[in-house]
Structures are given as C-alpha cells and as structure tokens.
Amino acid sequence: MTLTVRQIRTLNRICWTISLLVVAIPFVFPFLWMISSGFKSATEIFGQPSLIPRVWRWQNFVEVFEYQPFARQYFNSLYIALAVTALTLVFSSLAGYALARMRFAGAGLLMLFLISALMVPEEVTIIPNFFLIRWMGLMDTHSPLILLPVFGPHGVMATFLMRQYFLALPKELEEAGKMDGLSRLGIWWRIALPMSRPALAAVAIITFLFSWNLFLEPLVFLSSLELFTLPLALSNFTDAYGLPLWHLQLAATSLAVVPILGVYLIAQRQIIESFALSGVKG
Amino acid sequence: MTSLTLSNLEKRFGNVEIIRGVDLTIKDGEFVVFVGPSGCGKSTLLRMIAGLEDITKGSLYIGDRLINDVQAAKRGVAMVFQSYALYPHLNVRDNMGFGLKVRKVPVEERQRRVKEAAAALKLEALLDRYPRELSGGQRQRVAIGRAIVGNPQVFLFDEPLSNLDAELRVHMRSEIASLHKRLGNTMIYVTHDQIEAMTLADKIVVLHDGRIEQIGTPRELYTRPGNLFVAQFIGSPKMNIMPAAAITLKPAGREVGTGAAHSIGMRPEHLSVVAPGEGMLRGKVVISEYTGAASLLHVALDNDETCLVTHDGPAPAADTEVGLEIAIENLHFFDREGNAIDGKAIAEPAPLP
Amino acid sequence: MAVPATDKNSARFLRVPRLALKHREAVEAWLFVSPILTGFLIFFLGPLIAVFFYSMTEWNLLTQQAAFVGMENYADALSRNPDFWHVVRNSLIFAAGLVPLNMALALTLALALSRPFFGVVFFRAVFFAPVVTSAVAWAIVWKFLLQNEAGAVNQILAVVGIDGPNWLREPDWAMAAVIVTRVIKMVGLNMILYIAALQTIPRDYEEAARLEGASNWQIFRMVIWPLLAPTTLIIMVITTIGSFKVFDHIYLMTGGGPENGTLVLAFYIYEQGFKFFNVGYASALAMIMFVVVMVLTIVQLMLRRKDMQ
C-alpha cells in the first residue's frame, strides 16, 4: 500500500489533532465539571456522575451570597486588583523610564539592587512584613494587599519589563519632545507612554491577574469576612465541621472563574502574548 | 541678535573625547554647514547647541546669552531630526502644534501658525493624516514645518535628507535653500554629503576627529583648502596627492622648484590630457570609467603614482600613453605636516643651482 | 551656586543660576525611581534584613518571648528537627517530578502548536487557560475531582474497570496528584515560551536538513533541540524556582498531608510561622529558601548572559 505525500500529511494531521484533543481533556474537564457541579444539589453531587445536572439548582448561586458577604468580597478583589494595577503601571513605568533613558549616578547599583528582588519569593519576607504591617496598624485592612504587590518582586518585574520596552523606542522622538519644551515628566507622559501601549497592556494584564489570584497575603493579613478577597472566600465555604460545602464552593468558584475566563477567551491572543513578554524578561 | 559663539567647546563621554575644543562664530542669518566623515563629532556638536547633550567644557552663547545650562526648549532653537521624529500617535496638525501646545500658546494663535506653516510647505491637505500615512518627502516637510511653527531664532538640521532617495534629496535641498532665503534665520546644518554642504552653505565648517579643520565659504574650501584633509574631503572625485619630490613641474616648458612643499595636490577636473611628452606629467591609462558627462581616467604615472583625471570627449583606450597638463594656479602645495603653503611663493622659477 | 551679578555690562550674568543640566537630570531620575525605591526599601529590603536577624532568635509569638540564639535555629533545622529533612526530601521530589514533566509536556505541545494549522489558536487557548485561573479555584476543583469514591476521576476510572486510589489520602498518591495538577495548571506558560523560541528559529535550517534527507526525529534531535538549548536552560531554572514557591496549591489540596506527605518548604515556612508561631525557626527556614532560590537565580542570570553573548 502506498500513500501519496498529501495523504500522509493529512493522516499525520488527523493523528496530531486527536492526540491534542485527548491531552486537552484534563485542561478543560475541570472547568466544565466545576460549572456543572455548581448547579447540582448537595445530594446530587455525590450521586451518579453526570456532566449535565439532572436538576439545575439556581438556588446555589443565591445561597453563595447568603452564606458569606460574597458580593462584598467580589468587589474587594476587583477594586484591590484595579488599584494594584493602576499603581503598578504608574510606578513601574516611571522607574522603568528613568532606568532606560536617564543618566544618573548610581543607576547601575540601583539596577542590581532591584534585580535582587526578583530572586526572593514572597514567602521569605512574609514574616517580617507581618510584623511591619501590624506595627503600622494595617492588620485586617486592604492596604497590605495593595502595598506589597506594588512594591514587591512583581512591581520590580513590571519595572524591568517597562524598561526593556522603553529602551527599544526611538530616542529622537523624546529629543523632539525635549526641543518642544516638554519636561522629563511631560516626555514620559505624552511621548513615552502613548508609544508603549503594548507594554502597558502586558503589565496591566499580568498585574491584574497577579493581584486577583493572590492568596498568601490575604490569608496572613485578613481576618474579617467582609474584607476577604475572592481566593480567600472560595476556600471558606465549609460546614460547621469544617468540611467543604461542595455545591456552594463550586458555585462560588464558577462565579469567580467564569468572568476571567470570558475575558480571556475574548482577548486570549493579547493575554498570552503578555505572559510571553513577561516570561522572557522576568 | 541670533549670532552664536562657541568658545573652546569640549565634549567627553567618559574618557572618550568627542569634541576637542571648538571655537566658532556664526553670524546672524548665516547658513552654516558642519561637514565631515562619520564619527567626526559634527552631530554631537549640533546636539550640544540644541541642548540635547550637555557641555563638558567651554561656553556656548546665543546672542549674548550663555546657554550652557539652559534647557533645550528655552534656547530658541528648533531641530529637524534625521529620522524626522514625528510622534506616531499624533496627526500632522498635532505634531506641528505640539510645541506650541506645550508652551501654552492660545488655541487660535496655534491654529493660525500651524496653518501658515502648512501653507508655506504645501501641507494643508495632509493635516489630518498620521505620520505612517505619509511618504518620506512629506514626513520631511512636516518635520520642517514643526520647526518653523515655533518661530525659532536658530534652525538646526541633523542630516535631514539622508533618508530620502536621490531625486527627492535634490528637490528638498532646493526647498531648504529657499526656506532660508525666505525666513532669513540662522541655520546650522549637519551632513556628510559634501554636495549638500557646497550647495547650501554660506559657510562650511569641516570637522575631523572632534576638531575644526577649516572654516570657509564653499569656494574658499574648494580653491584654497587649508590642509590635506580638507583638500581630499572637498571635491569629487578626490584630489590627487603626490609627493613633491616625485614630480618635476614644467609649466610652459620652464622647470619650477617645489620649495618647502612636501606634497602636491591636483584636482582630477583640473588635469587635461595632452600628447605624451607634453605637459607636466606622463603616464599610461589603466582604466577609463565612463560616467556619462565625462570619463574618469585612472592614469599610472611614470613614478608609480596613480592619478585620476576627469576627461571630456572621447576617452583614450587603456594602455594609451598620455601626457597630463595642469595650470599652475590650480596646484595645491602642502608642507610636511599637511598644511597648505601659499602656492605663489613656490611656483616661481627656481634659481638655477 | 549663586553667581553674583557683579559684571554689570554683561547680560549673561543676570540669568538665574541653576543646576547644570547633568545634575538636573540625575535629580529627576531619582525622583522618577523614588516611589518604587521607597516601597522597595520598606516592604522588601528591610524585611529581608529583618528576617535574617529573626532567624537568629528564639521567638515565640504565643509566649511573647524573644532571645538571641545565634545559629541555633539553623542547627535545629539541619541536624535536630527530622521534619526539616523530610520537607527537603518532599520539596526535591516535588521538583523532580514537576520540572521534567512540565518541560516535556510544554515542549511537546509547543512543537505541535508552533506552526499554524486549523485549530491552533483553540488549542493554545485551551492549554493556557489554567494559567490565568486562580490557583485557589484550580486546587478546589481538583480536590473535588480527586475525592475517593465521589470524585469524578475515580468514577470515570471505574467505568473502564480501574479501582482508583484515594488520591489525596495516601502520601505517595497525594504527591503525584499535586504534581500532576500543578503541571496542568502551569504548563501553558512554558509552552508559550517554547513556542516563542521555536518561532525565532529560521525555517531555513529545517528545510536544509530535510533536503539532506533528515527524518522528523533527526531534525528535532540535531537541529531544533540544540537551538532550543538556551531556552530550555532558562525554563528549567524558572520552573525549578517556581516549584519551590508552591504554596496555595498545597495549602488547599492537601494541607501538607497526609502524614506530611506533601509538606514542602514554602508550606512548612507558613506553618511554622503562622500556625505554630515559631518566628525564629520559620525565619531560618525562609533564609534557607532565600539562599536556594538566589543560587538558582544567579545560575539563571549567568546562563542568560552567556546566551546573549
């Protein structure tokens, strides 16, 4: 039996596609199962498995909000992530610009200093930060959840990402701005930033997700239910014995994950590129 | 008063000396061209005047004002960049008006001035376009327009035509010349292209290795180059330089001594082909390159030097024996250090020994 | 700095004296970096120095007593506390399982998805989706899926006649489960980095090799793989560092159990510090983690520099 080159190629492609579909199962299945189980009753969850719930129990999504202040927690996550993103964009692009474009004594040392931050996981500094935050009287507030990400290793990573991008911009444009009478701040704001939209978008995306998914810091610094952020709230749907209330937990998890996934599906190319950019640099 | 005075300007990057003490006076309304090979420091010097590079040593005056530490925007200068440096996120109108906006010029005034400049440069139809939608020549014009709008005392041009194709370059060159005539401002122009320098300049400053080699009008530089470097840099094809000892000068049959001269320069276009045995030099044609208007002959002289000759009319074939003649006033004499010596003193008949 | 206007016939001395442009630029630059720098000093460098000093104290939050004990905590960890070596062992097993699995899968997927074909965007999106999902959600769902009898995984296995283990209740299976679910969560990132690297390899090489009669495997082994070497090294270090930092995943799926079978370094630090309040001991552990990660990062930076030359 002989096959033409074209047939071999088609066959090859079909084999690859099937294999990829098989590999994709454990990537997709958890999401589907999560959403479907979020609609099941507590008893059905432990009954015969089925991807489609026998009875769609919308009530779960109401109970999620009754069990704990979930709307409030959702809002906490959202506004903290937005604040962290905004502050990171401003500070990292300011510092990144100075490191890329301005000549000043100590720049090299400063770079080295900042690079060292990339080496240190949050777990290393969390204990002294706990005492620091307590001493500042900021325990059980949202301040540490904003301050630590902005000024920690993530902020430094964003700074380097911005610096890298600024380095590649044509210098003459900024000089033209200087001749036009812009101050340094003006050049940064009116020339460098408008030309750096891709880098700003990348920083915004990864920063937002970083803050949105943060777990250790909320766990350490928060104790009031109404101050919880989503990841902390999700782990908190338990009964009196500390056992998970799966139907509520999964309904809540769906509520937390699906909007992000929706945005991801719409802007997946941009989001994946952002991670590629930060992964290569950081 | 928009004269400029540069006195003993120096620029260092770390240990590297880029500008090694430049003294120069530029008069009000003058068109000055800085020319030199790449790396000679001409752009750095321009950028020091613009305020884009700080001055390591020396002083820089515009009019009577010491501007060493005045910010670029407050020096009253405008610059046209090599890459045009148009803001990609702004359209032509906003690009041209940007500097005025930054300086908080009122809207009506701003619009009027942009309109005037656009009219002068035939840019009215393009005002709403973005830089990426413009051709090279149009971008160039916008870049000039942006400079004009600010009403600067001094215009600076940093190799503004080097990104254009040959035809457009000639065209824009004439536009810049007429712009200067119309505005009458002081203009400083950097180029490595000597044709641009010769055609545009009131005064050419030849730079080499961070130093001024010579300052003069185009004619002066061509007819009386101050040293070997300028002699070979200005003029195309390059001036022939020969050791004085290797040549016997016999204008009109009389032998002439070369005095203190160490080398002698002859421009290819001043040499003419005569019958072998006649003229001052004698050699054999190696190649002749036909360039259209004339031919460029490579002539191997009897003394092993090769000499370029620009020749009109039918070119002699390779291997032809030729004589070369040159008028004595077209000879350039240089001493051992390469500095020019006044030819008159030399080209007198030598006293017989 | 002020120059008195003594020379009255010269206007140039009337100018307001100001900083030289160079100094002005330096001042501005420091202002630009000052927000990040200030925050960095307060919330990062200070704590880093503090943790070093904490690590030399015996400090229990419950008893509110602190005493300087020198290197005792380190000695404790390295020679007296059997938990520590157990944790090290777990962390190494975790890394040794996660890193090769993650990289092999990432590379395979990248090879399959680096060229355009119908569905490539879909597959890339699918394999990357867990990366943008919160680790907490991911861990919760997998914990749900991996329950003993009620878990979907075991129920599906039962359909094909396999009696699945009680995944999260047996130490070895728990470790395996944590590793695999973590790989699925993070493999998309490395896949993207590999795809980016593959796309920078000019097709000429491959085509030249094909003309010389090389098979697909030979092309990969002899052309692609060597060209990917710098990327592979960097991904390896990044992934290894990442494996030492895993906290939320463990916290939510196993809580370090069963029988401390998934107790890894990051989780151990948290437990000692915030559950048992052994501040001194936890700080010593943090310092050890810092040194490990720093060494790995320096290796990475060196590799990267070599790669750039």
Side-chain angles (χ1 to χ4, degrees):
Chain A
M1 188 182 79
T2 51
L3 291 168
T4 63
V5 173
R6 182 188 289 261
Q7 282 170 321
I8 291 176
R9 199 173 292 163
T10 314
L11 210 65
N12 218 332
R13 195 166 294 166
I14 291 171
C15 289
W16 268 112
T17 309
I18 291 174
S19 328
L20 284 171
L21 280 171
V22 172
V23 176
I25 292 172
F27 290 78
V28 179
F29 184 74
F31 291 115
L32 298 178
W33 201 254
M34 165 188 79
I35 295 166
S36 117
S37 303
F39 282 101
K40 291 176 182 171
S41 68
T43 43
E44 191 191 341
I45 268 191
F46 293 108
Q48 201 63 6
S50 132
L51 197 54
I52 315 287
R54 269 189 298 281
V55 184
W56 292 83
R57 197 165 181 276
W58 290 93
Q59 184 63 26
N60 287 353
F61 293 91
V62 179
E63 283 174 27
V64 161
F65 290 90
E66 289 166 351
Y67 190 82
Q68 51 179 335
F70 195 67
R72 174 76 220 196
Q73 294 162 342
Y74 214 106
F75 173 75
N76 290 342
S77 263
L78 195 64
Y79 103 79
I80 290 173
L82 288 176
V84 170
T85 306
L87 290 176
T88 301
L89 282 176
V90 173
F91 292 154
S92 70
S93 64
L94 267 177
Y97 180 80
L99 291 173
R101 278 289 193 262
M102 297 163 80
R103 278 198 290 261
F104 59 104
L109 200 67
L110 182 65
M111 288 273 288
L112 208 68
F113 220 50
L114 292 176
I115 283 176
S116 71
L118 297 177
M119 304 183 191
V120 186
E122 288 88 343
E123 284 84 352
V124 171
T125 48
I126 190 78
I127 293 171
N129 267 326
F130 170 82
F131 291 111
L132 179 65
I133 295 295
R134 200 175 62 167
W135 175 78
M136 291 169 129
L138 297 175
M139 281 306 280
D140 207 21
T141 70
H142 288 150
S143 308
L145 308 188
I146 294 172
L147 292 173
L148 293 186
V150 170
F151 296 115
H154 182 84
V156 173
M157 191 274 292
T159 301
F160 280 107
L161 208 152
M162 291 309 302
R163 171 180 174 268
Q164 213 65 25
Y165 200 87
F166 286 138
L167 279 177
L169 292 180
K171 222 174 178 173
E172 285 197 335
L173 281 166
E174 290 167 40
E175 290 174 346
K178 203 168 167 186
M179 301 290 303
D180 274 338
L182 286 179
S183 62
R184 270 295 174 178
L185 208 62
I187 293 174
W188 166 77
W189 176 248
R190 294 169 87 164
I191 297 174
L193 286 189
M195 293 202 302
S196 306
R197 282 186 195 133
L200 291 170
V203 168
I205 286 168
I206 50 181
T207 304
F208 185 91
L209 285 170
F210 177 81
S211 166
W212 183 262
N213 295 335
L214 209 60
F215 183 66
L216 177 64
E217 284 78 359
L219 183 67
V220 168
F221 295 114
L222 297 183
S223 49
S224 313
L225 265 187
E226 62 276 13
L227 290 179
F228 275 18
T229 57
L230 275 182
L232 206 49
L234 293 182
S235 63
N236 201 37
F237 286 94
T238 48
D239 63 15
Y241 305 103
L243 295 172
L245 292 163
W246 283 117
H247 62 302
L248 292 189
Q249 192 160 51
L250 291 167
T253 308
S254 303
L255 285 177
V257 168
V258 169
I260 295 287
L261 272 188
V263 174
Y264 166 70
L265 288 180
I266 294 165
Q268 57 98 5
R269 189 174 290 263
Q270 166 86 59
I271 291 175
I272 291 179
E273 268 168 24
S274 303
F275 275 90
L277 201 63
S278 70
V280 174
K281 311 294 182 224
Chain B
M1 266 297 285
T2 52
S3 62
L4 279 89
T5 312
L6 288 63
S7 90
N8 199 24
L9 277 193
E10 281 183 29
K11 175 72 188 175
R12 256 174 235 268
F13 288 113
N15 284 329
V16 190
E17 267 190 283
I18 306 294
I19 300 293
R20 304 158 186 263
V22 163
D23 288 294
L24 177 67
T25 310
I26 295 169
K27 287 194 290 254
D28 185 24
E30 214 168 17
F31 198 119
V32 174
V33 175
F34 295 170
V35 70
S38 55
C40 68
K42 56 189 188 299
S43 278
T44 308
L45 192 57
L46 188 79
R47 291 163 55 83
M48 286 161 81
I49 296 171
L52 295 172
E53 302 285 356
D54 47 62
I55 293 163
T56 312
K57 224 180 116 187
S59 40
L60 172 60
Y61 295 94
I62 292 183
D64 283 338
R65 196 160 73 115
L66 178 70
I67 55 162
N68 281 35
D69 285 324
V70 176
Q71 287 168 53
K74 295 187 178 149
R75 293 185 177 191
V77 300
M79 180 141 161
V80 176
F81 290 86
Q82 182 172 10
S83 68
Y84 319 137
L86 302 178
Y87 308 119
H89 55 291
L90 300 179
N91 63 21
V92 169
R93 187 193 313 276
D94 293 342
N95 257 294
M96 287 172 64
F98 189 79
L100 299 179
K101 193 172 166 188
V102 169
R103 294 190 174 90
K104 303 207 163 56
V105 174
V107 185
E108 311 84 58
E109 163 86 358
R110 199 158 79 210
Q111 281 171 346
R112 189 179 57 73
R113 277 159 74 174
V114 169
K115 222 160 137 190
E116 275 173 15
L121 290 160
K122 302 188 193 69
L123 286 169
E124 292 110 319
L126 305 174
L127 282 175
D128 291 316
R129 296 226 195 141
Y130 284 87
R132 60 175 176 277
E133 300 165 334
L134 302 177
S135 70
Q138 290 167 333
R139 285 182 204 180
Q140 173 68 72
R141 241 188 282 257
V142 175
I144 293 173
R146 177 167 71 180
I148 293 177
V149 161
N151 238 336
Q153 297 172 296
V154 181
F155 281 92
L156 307 176
F157 295 88
D158 188 6
E159 308 221 14
L161 306 183
S162 60
N163 285 343
L164 300 177
D165 62 46
E167 196 187 340
L168 211 49
R169 199 148 56 213
V170 173
H171 177 70
M172 286 308 296
R173 202 166 74 201
S174 66
E175 281 205 20
I176 290 176
S178 64
L179 184 76
H180 179 237
K181 199 169 281 174
R182 200 168 68 236
L183 298 174
N185 287 47
T186 310
M187 294 190 178
I188 306 176
Y189 187 107
V190 162
T191 182
H192 62 268
D193 179 27
Q194 47 147 322
I195 305 285
E196 262 172 44
M198 300 290 275
T199 50
L200 286 170
D202 294 328
K203 183 154 98 186
I204 294 181
V205 178
V206 183
L207 286 156
H208 176 49
D209 208 12
R211 285 201 183 83
I212 293 181
E213 291 285 345
Q214 192 175 358
I215 304 172
T217 64
R219 185 171 298 279
E220 279 165 0
L221 292 189
Y222 182 76
T223 56
R224 278 188 282 128
N227 55 40
L228 272 178
F229 177 81
V230 177
Q232 291 211 289
F233 189 78
I234 301 287
S236 172
K238 245 160 94 164
M239 182 190 281
N240 298 297
I241 303 290
M242 307 198 180
I247 316 172
T248 326
L249 297 174
K250 293 181 290 180
R254 289 179 308 143
E255 200 159 306
V256 179
T258 50
H262 180 258
S263 46
I264 298 181
M266 291 167 262
R267 296 202 182 274
E269 57 272 32
H270 291 152
L271 287 161
S272 52
V273 174
V274 292
E278 287 175 32
M280 284 193 224
L281 302 164
R282 184 191 165 92
K284 195 190 266 183
V285 176
V286 183
I287 320 172
S288 88
E289 296 171 320
Y290 180 64
T291 61
S295 296
L296 187 61
L297 308 181
H298 296 242
V299 179
L301 300 183
D302 289 348
N303 55 30
D304 287 343
E305 299 281 333
T306 305
C307 184
L308 294 177
V309 180
T310 312
H311 180 69
D312 291 326
D319 285 340
T320 317
E321 293 270 341
V322 291
L324 298 173
E325 179 63 296
I326 185 166
I328 191 122
E329 64 270 21
N330 285 333
L331 288 171
H332 301 270
F333 300 92
F334 303 96
D335 65 14
R336 200 169 290 276
E337 281 73 46
N339 294 318
I341 314 171
D342 188 3
K344 278 210 190 90
I346 292 166
E348 293 296 323
L352 289 168
Chain C
M1 287 286 293
V3 180
T6 46
D7 189 349
K8 48 188 171 295
N9 55 14
S10 174
R12 71 184 68 131
F13 287 113
L14 294 176
R15 170 181 80 76
V16 181
R18 61 184 101 209
L19 283 173
L21 289 178
K22 202 167 79 185
H23 296 131
R24 199 188 162 93
E25 170 152 310
V27 170
E28 282 171 341
W30 280 105
L31 285 176
F32 272 46
V33 298
S34 60
I36 280 275
L37 185 62
T38 312
F40 177 81
L41 293 175
I42 297 174
F43 294 107
F44 188 79
L45 196 71
L48 193 61
I49 294 166
V51 84
F52 175 65
F53 286 108
Y54 290 3
S55 78
M56 292 188 293
T57 61
E58 169 79 53
W59 181 2
N60 192 304
L61 266 193
L62 296 178
T63 57
Q64 289 290 352
Q65 282 173 340
F68 182 80
V69 293
M71 305 307 278
E72 272 310 287
N73 286 319
Y74 294 94
D76 223 16
L78 297 174
S79 62
R80 286 197 281 275
N81 195 332
D83 273 358
F84 177 75
W85 289 110
H86 184 70
V87 166
V88 168
R89 187 179 143 270
N90 281 345
S91 299
L92 290 178
I93 291 174
F94 186 78
L98 182 126
V99 176
L101 190 60
N102 186 331
M103 292 181 67
L105 187 57
L107 180 56
T108 312
L109 292 176
L111 286 170
L113 299 176
S114 61
R115 300 272 161 73
F117 70 93
F118 180 76
V120 70
V121 176
F122 167 78
F123 280 119
R124 271 189 217 173
V126 163
F127 294 128
F128 196 79
V131 177
V132 300
T133 309
S134 96
V136 170
W138 192 249
I140 286 174
V141 173
W142 275 102
K143 188 178 177 186
F144 177 62
L145 294 172
L146 290 171
Q147 293 168 94
N148 189 14
E149 276 152 36
V153 171
N154 276 350
Q155 286 173 339
I156 290 167
L157 286 177
V159 173
V160 288
I162 300 173
D163 190 10
N166 191 353
W167 295 99
L168 299 177
R169 290 280 177 273
E170 293 168 31
D172 291 348
W173 285 115
M175 180 58 97
V178 171
I179 289 172
V180 171
T181 52
R182 185 72 189 170
V183 167
I184 298 172
K185 164 95 172 71
M186 296 308 289
V187 72
L189 199 54
N190 286 347
M191 174 189 80
I192 289 301
L193 297 183
Y194 262 134
I195 288 177
L198 281 169
Q199 283 171 344
T200 63
I201 297 177
R203 289 206 71 172
D204 301 7
Y205 297 150
E206 190 192 324
E207 283 165 358
R210 203 173 289 287
L211 284 178
E212 286 165 6
S215 69
N216 278 341
W217 169 250
Q218 282 171 320
I219 289 173
F220 172 72
R221 185 69 198 81
M222 291 153 81
V223 181
I224 312 252
W225 177 249
L227 288 172
L228 282 179
T231 312
T232 301
L233 282 173
I234 288 165
I235 288 182
M236 191 163 82
V237 178
I238 293 177
T239 313
T240 310
I241 293 174
S243 83
F244 287 128
K245 301 203 307 196
V246 170
F247 167 74
D248 33 18
H249 207 87
I250 303 276
Y251 179 90
L252 287 155
M253 270 183 84
T254 64
E259 298 157 32
N260 288 347
T262 55
L263 190 65
V264 292
L265 193 54
F267 189 79
Y268 189 50
I269 294 173
Y270 170 80
E271 210 180 48
Q272 288 297 324
F274 294 101
K275 225 163 126 190
F276 306 135
F277 303 109
N278 290 324
V279 175
Y281 183 60
S283 298
L285 296 173
M287 282 307 293
I288 291 170
M289 183 174 191
F290 170 59
V291 171
V292 171
V293 173
M294 193 173 67
V295 168
L296 283 170
T297 312
I298 289 169
V299 168
Q300 179 205 358
L301 288 174
M302 277 161 54
L303 290 174
R304 202 174 281 200
R305 183 162 304 162
K306 213 171 92 192
D307 170 38
M308 275 192 269
Q309 279 164 2

